[in-house]
Amino acid sequence: MSRRSGILEFAVLGLLRESPMHGYELRKRLNTSLGVFRAFSYGTLYPCLKTLVANGWLIEESGSTPEDALAAPLAGRRAKIVYRLTAEGKEHFEELLSQTGPDAYEDEHFAARFAFFGQTSRDVRMRVLEGRRSRLEERLEKMRASLARTRERLDDYTLELQRHGMESVEREVRWLNELIESERAGRDIKGSATEGTSRGVSDGPAPQHSTSGETGGLPRHRDDSRPDPSDDTTT
């Protein structure tokens, strides 16, 4: 399995963990919510879905309602397919969420991992963020050293391009620093709330979207778009 296909499988499992979807809606969510998938086709998505079904992580269901199943033959169209995460698929996705190895820090995989931070425990989020920051700081050090060696041989435009690349990495490092501080502050707030509860002070309702019971980081945004009823038909 290639790294990119592994990222796609991870993202598909994560989206379907939120709710079952048609392939059309999945593709739209991948395009709009995860920038790494802005340019990919059904020819890439459907083999991935078939693989996940074969592994037992997804199941295919024909039609979303009894009315859909009856309307399809009358309209001369084939029934739509809905993809649903199985219990094994949910377990596999949660296992992937817990991984904090070097792949989690790479450019494309980090973007996909970050998109599902709302479903990730705080300690894992911290390890991924700190790993990403360390990786970028190493990259930045190499870029500065390279620029220092070659500065005199570069024309103005190439030099400006390298400076632009360095500034982009520096901006991301600053962003990661802010996120890490936010996560640490969230842990302190949680600890204070727990202490308050022990003194008889309620810490409010339980969070709704965290698998670990620990919230923090950025808010989640959902895409309320609906699939085109003419797509995602059975073969």
Side-chain angles (χ1 to χ4, degrees), residues 7 18 27 32 40 45 48 52 67 74-75 85 101 123 132 200 227 233:
I7 298 170
E18 297 177 356
R27 182 174 182 266
T32 58
F40 84 108
L45 175 60
C48 171
L52 295 176
E67 289 78 9
L74 294 175
L85 198 65
D123 62 326
R132 175 67 175 175
T233 56

Side-chain angles (χ1 to χ4, degrees), residues 139-169:
R139 184 183 302 175
L140 191 58
E141 183 177 351
K142 291 178 181 178
M143 293 172 73
R144 287 170 175 161
S146 175
L147 183 60
R149 290 194 305 269
T150 60
R151 182 187 300 272
E152 299 302 324
R153 299 195 300 271
L154 300 177
D155 62 62
D156 291 342
Y157 293 100
T158 304
L159 185 60
E160 190 62 29
L161 184 62
Q162 292 207 9
R163 285 174 176 165
H164 173 69
M166 288 177 55
E167 289 172 359
S168 297
V169 176

Side-chain angles (χ1 to χ4, degrees), residues 60-132:
E60 298 177 334
E61 298 176 342
S62 297
S64 56
T65 66
E67 289 78 9
D68 287 339
L70 292 173
L74 294 175
R77 295 190 310 206
R78 293 169 294 180
K80 294 180 292 184
I81 295 176
V82 173
Y83 294 91
R84 184 183 300 273
L85 198 65
T86 64
E88 292 80 7
K90 180 180 178 181
E91 182 179 349
H92 179 63
F93 179 67
E94 290 176 349
E95 179 184 346
L96 294 176
L97 276 181
S98 69
Q99 294 178 2
T100 59
D103 281 350
Y105 317 148
E106 298 300 332
D107 295 345
E108 291 187 345
H109 206 159
F110 174 75
R113 286 298 303 271
F114 190 83
F116 296 100
F117 263 21
Q119 302 180 39
T120 307
S121 63
R122 179 179 287 116
D123 62 326
V124 171
R125 291 197 302 262
M126 284 291 292
R127 287 198 294 271
V128 173
L129 289 171
E130 290 173 342
R132 175 67 175 175

Side-chain angles (χ1 to χ4, degrees), residues 1-16 23 26-31 34 36-52 57-58 92-93 96 108-113 116:
M1 178 191 303
S2 69
R3 174 176 291 175
R4 186 171 178 82
S5 64
I7 298 170
L8 178 58
E9 290 185 6
F10 171 82
V12 167
L13 291 172
L15 290 175
L16 291 176
L26 262 174
R27 182 174 182 266
K28 189 169 185 179
R29 288 289 303 277
L30 288 165
N31 280 333
L34 303 175
V36 66
F37 300 113
R38 282 176 186 155
F40 84 108
S41 65
Y42 287 113
T44 302
L45 175 60
Y46 282 106
C48 171
L49 291 170
K50 295 298 183 184
T51 298
L52 295 176
W57 297 330
L58 301 182
H92 179 63
F93 179 67
L96 294 176
E108 291 187 345
H109 206 159
F110 174 75
R113 286 298 303 271
F116 296 100

